């Protein structure tokens, strides 16, 4: 099975919180932003929420690409 381009974690892609992310981090449930760094050695994805000054690292299962 081939992974579609739209499913890849790529720097610059927009994201929203996934259902799991909203459940684990309810204060971030309605937030969106962009991916700023993808670690290939850990499960962390560095994101910048819209309106935020500093990036945040989240588990890759906590976000969904839009």
């Amino acid at each position: 099975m081939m992974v579609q381009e739209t499913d890849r974690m790529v720097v610059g892609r927009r994201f929203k919180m996934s259902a799991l992310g909203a459940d684990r981090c309810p204060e971030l449930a309605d937030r969106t932003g962009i991916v700023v760094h993808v670690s290939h050695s850990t499960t962390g994805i560095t994101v910048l929420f819209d309106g935020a000054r500093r990036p945040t690292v989240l588990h890759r299962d906590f976000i969904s690409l839009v």
Side-chain angles (χ1 to χ4, degrees):
M1 183 171 124
M2 187 174 218
V3 176
Q4 293 181 1
E5 181 68 27
T6 57
D7 293 337
R8 293 186 57 215
M9 295 289 175
V10 178
V11 171
R13 291 287 308 270
R14 297 222 24 100
F15 76 92
K16 64 179 182 175
M17 294 296 289
S18 67
L20 178 62
D23 186 50
R24 300 277 175 91
C25 305
E27 68 280 5
L28 302 175
D30 296 327
R31 307 281 307 269
T32 59
I34 61 168
V35 175
V36 294
H37 178 73
V38 178
S39 174
H40 297 290
S41 60
T42 68
T43 58
I45 302 288
T46 305
V47 299
L48 184 63
F49 286 105
D50 293 340
R53 291 184 178 175
R54 296 185 189 150
T56 303
V57 178
L58 297 172
H59 189 280
R60 66 179 60 235
D61 292 343
F62 287 9
I63 67 171
S64 299
L65 298 177
V66 292

